[in-house]
Amino acid sequence: MSNFEGGQASVPARTAVQKSFGSTVYLGAAIVFAVSLILDLATAQANLEIVNDILEAFSINSSSVLSGGMGGIIIARLPKILALAGMLLAWNAAKNMESKSGTGFTLLQVATCLTYIPMLLLIGLGALVLVAAGREVFANNFGEEAEAAVMRIAVGLFVAMILSLVYMIGLMKTYGSCGKVVKTLDGWKGASVVVIVINVISIIGRVFGILLFGIMVKDVLAPYIERMGLDPEPIEKLFTGVSAMPGILTAVYLILLTMTFIKANSEYKKNAKTL
């Protein structure tokens, strides 16, 4: 028998969760996610203050707008706040398996639903509107080529919706499986391979996008500003520094999260072979 309640059958699953979600890599993912959330809140607050200054310039009382705006900012980011709390609780539970608390993984499931379900509904609604209005609006006013372009966009939205749905289900199963292992000592189904693959593709896309954007600013935007007789250096710093941070943080977070999922599966396979 092992140190874990439940005997040898539960050892690979519990070891996999403990060495992946209880690792410094996953804690690092939570820290990066927290920094990203703080940056997001600070940016939203700064934008709200800009709107406030504009309203005051027109002698409009913006106190209610400012307070309501902050409330909206917090509500809109509630899924991220729940996800951060879930990550920290999940890390603590995985690191200290004796607690048998799956609260963190449950919060991650709730945050996943709150993040993806509204997005899926909006994408699906947008695709349906494009299909419904394609012939009546675009074809009649802009011709058949415009209609065909709109139909391609609608198809792309449907594909994005399906991929997002598959990704959401993969995350839900992964977190549900890990939570069950923590609470009941077994029930391992592994980290979703689909989620890992989509994460890898997303990481490559984001890194490529960041590099491409930096090249565009340096080679296209900066020379254009210089030809206007302006100093391009502040613009370069703005777009390649602060503006690039959310994308960089998201890429780092996805890398650490994907490493956690891969570690969980590899640890389970490695320990299952030794039984």
Side-chain angles (χ1 to χ4, degrees), residues 14 34 97 99-101 116 135-136 149 241 259-260 268 271:
R14 287 173 63 79
M97 297 293 281
S99 66
K100 296 182 183 178
S101 173
Y116 283 93
R135 184 172 298 279
E136 295 296 329
M259 288 173 62
T260 300
Y268 180 79
N271 286 282

Side-chain angles (χ1 to χ4, degrees), residues 116 119-121 123-124 127 154-170 194 198:
Y116 283 93
M119 182 183 70
L120 289 170
L121 291 174
I123 294 175
V155 171
L157 287 176
F158 276 122
V159 172
M161 183 180 69
I162 293 170
L163 288 175
S164 297
L165 178 61
V166 171
Y167 187 79
M168 183 191 78
I169 293 172
V194 173
I198 293 177

Side-chain angles (χ1 to χ4, degrees), residues 32-91:
V32 172
F33 190 83
V35 174
S36 177
L37 178 58
I38 293 170
L39 180 61
D40 186 24
L41 289 170
T43 302
Q45 169 67 19
N47 291 337
L48 192 61
E49 290 176 357
I50 292 172
V51 173
N52 179 56
D53 292 339
I54 293 172
L55 292 175
E56 287 184 351
F58 287 94
S59 301
I60 299 174
N61 185 5
S62 60
S63 57
S64 60
V65 175
L66 191 61
S67 59
M70 278 307 300
I73 288 170
I74 298 298
I75 292 173
R77 286 152 183 81
L78 181 60
K80 288 186 176 182
I81 295 171
L82 288 176
L84 177 59
M87 291 182 74
L88 294 174
L89 289 173
W91 173 78

Side-chain angles (χ1 to χ4, degrees), residues 5-273:
E5 296 180 29
Q8 289 184 334
S10 67
V11 172
R14 287 173 63 79
T15 302
V17 173
Q18 192 171 43
K19 289 192 175 182
S20 56
F21 285 90
S23 68
T24 53
V25 172
Y26 189 65
L27 178 61
I31 293 172
V32 172
F33 190 83
V35 174
S36 177
L37 178 58
I38 293 170
L39 180 61
D40 186 24
L41 289 170
T43 302
Q45 169 67 19
N47 291 337
L48 192 61
E49 290 176 357
I50 292 172
V51 173
N52 179 56
D53 292 339
I54 293 172
L55 292 175
E56 287 184 351
F58 287 94
S59 301
I60 299 174
N61 185 5
S62 60
S63 57
S64 60
V65 175
L66 191 61
S67 59
M70 278 307 300
I73 288 170
I74 298 298
I75 292 173
R77 286 152 183 81
L78 181 60
K80 288 186 176 182
I81 295 171
L82 288 176
L84 177 59
M87 291 182 74
L88 294 174
L89 289 173
W91 173 78
N92 184 64
K95 190 173 181 64
N96 306 294
M97 297 293 281
E98 293 78 10
S99 66
K100 296 182 183 178
S101 173
T103 305
F105 292 106
T106 301
L107 275 178
L108 285 170
Q109 286 183 300
V110 172
T112 300
C113 287
L114 291 176
T115 299
Y116 283 93
I117 290 178
M119 182 183 70
L120 289 170
L121 291 174
L122 287 174
I123 294 175
L125 181 61
L128 289 174
V129 169
L130 286 176
V131 171
R135 184 172 298 279
E136 295 296 329
V137 178
F138 293 96
N140 294 338
N141 292 282
F142 303 103
E144 293 183 359
E145 291 185 1
E147 180 190 7
V150 169
M151 291 302 105
R152 286 194 292 269
I153 294 173
V155 171
L157 287 176
F158 276 122
V159 172
M161 183 180 69
I162 293 170
L163 288 175
S164 297
L165 178 61
V166 171
Y167 187 79
M168 183 191 78
I169 293 172
L171 280 178
M172 294 287 288
K173 286 185 175 180
T174 298
Y175 294 140
S177 171
C178 292
K180 190 174 181 181
V181 169
V182 171
K183 290 185 289 186
T184 66
L185 311 178
D186 212 341
W188 175 255
K189 293 177 181 170
S192 171
V193 176
V194 173
V195 170
I196 292 173
V197 171
I198 293 177
N199 276 356
V200 171
I201 294 172
S202 180
I203 291 165
I204 295 172
R206 286 179 182 276
V207 171
F208 181 76
I210 292 170
L211 293 174
L212 185 63
F213 185 73
I215 292 171
M216 185 185 70
V217 170
K218 185 176 181 180
D219 295 345
V220 179
L221 184 60
Y224 175 76
I225 293 173
E226 192 171 9
R227 285 196 298 270
M228 294 174 62
L230 301 173
D231 183 9
E233 186 176 352
I235 301 296
E236 286 187 64
K237 288 182 178 179
L238 175 64
F239 283 104
T240 58
V242 176
S243 294
M245 279 305 297
I248 293 172
L249 289 173
T250 301
V252 173
Y253 163 73
L254 284 174
I255 289 170
L256 296 175
L257 186 64
T258 305
M259 288 173 62
T260 300
F261 291 162
I262 294 173
K263 178 73 171 177
N265 287 345
S266 64
E267 282 293 333
Y268 180 79
K269 291 178 181 178
K270 181 176 72 175
N271 286 282
K273 290 178 180 178

